[in-house]
Amino acid sequence: RTLVALPARGLLILLAWSLVVVSYTYANAFRSQFEFEQSFITRLAYDIEHSDAILRDQQVDTITFVGTIPPSRILTNSRAKFPYLGRGVIPRLINDTWWWGHIALNNYAMSNLKYRDLAVTREHLDELQARGEMTALFSSRAYRGFVYDGTLLVAIPRADGDKK
């Protein structure tokens, strides 16, 4: 009876420890991505606020995103160690297929801009820029803002490792 109980107890302890490690990794990666996105949104709201006069002059009343916010470094490292924390388990809320980025901007009094699902691809955006039909209203390493068809386009560069 003791010989069977020891391996079972050891396996139970190993399983419990593994669950603690995975739970801690998930929570840390989730928190890191949330803080990264809040920083991104704060900077974007600042740039939009300082471009408000131009946006009003051009009668911009909607916003859309082209691209997806990159993962935080902690999320990237966590995914390398635990691949099952891959896409979808910890969502990136600011992207071109979800309106959550707009909802997050509402916390910064950006409610005058409504979300618009404008099917502009990265390639189309590059083409419009190359022809000189669009110039950046504001720009940073993390994003560029353009006005197109009454909409503020926030273009997010492709992150390393992003397939989309």
Side-chain angles (χ1 to χ4, degrees):
R1 181 176 169 169
T2 347
L3 293 176
V4 173
L6 281 176
R9 189 174 297 155
L11 285 174
L12 187 61
I13 290 171
L14 181 63
L15 178 65
W17 179 250
S18 297
L19 289 175
V20 167
V21 169
V22 170
S23 297
Y24 176 78
T25 302
Y26 173 79
N28 194 31
F30 195 89
R31 180 185 48 82
S32 170
Q33 186 64 26
F34 175 77
E35 290 172 355
F36 182 72
E37 288 182 358
Q38 289 305 307
S39 170
F40 181 94
I41 290 168
T42 302
R43 288 178 290 161
L44 178 59
Y46 177 85
D47 285 340
I48 292 172
E49 184 179 320
H50 283 81
S51 303
D52 192 44
I54 297 168
L55 294 174
R56 270 187 275 125
D57 286 346
Q58 296 188 19
Q59 298 177 341
V60 174
D61 59 353
T62 54
I63 187 171
T64 194
F65 297 94
V66 178
T68 302
I69 189 171
S72 67
R73 285 191 177 133
I74 292 175
L75 178 55
T76 302
N77 291 338
S78 297
R79 284 181 178 167
K81 181 124 177 131
F82 301 104
Y84 48 84
L85 291 179
R87 292 189 188 279
V89 175
I90 299 175
R92 292 185 275 167
L93 301 180
I94 300 170
N95 62 55
D96 51 9
T97 59
W98 231 9
W99 48 268
W100 279 108
H102 171 259
I103 298 299
L105 280 173
N106 280 341
N107 293 329
Y108 292 90
M110 297 290 145
S111 57
N112 59 326
L113 293 175
K114 307 295 183 247
Y115 177 74
R116 180 177 178 192
D117 189 7
L118 189 66
V120 174
T121 63
R122 206 180 296 270
E123 291 75 23
H124 185 224
L125 186 64
D126 292 341
E127 181 183 316
L128 290 170
Q129 275 187 279
R131 290 193 310 222
E133 295 181 30
M134 272 193 333
T135 56
L137 182 62
F138 51 81
S139 184
S140 76
R141 264 186 23 208
Y143 55 81
R144 294 172 299 165
F146 302 93
V147 174
Y148 177 72
D149 191 26
T151 299
L152 174 61
L153 277 167
V154 179
I156 305 166
R158 186 172 282 127
D160 295 338
D162 269 357
K163 294 170 182 52
K164 204 173 152 183

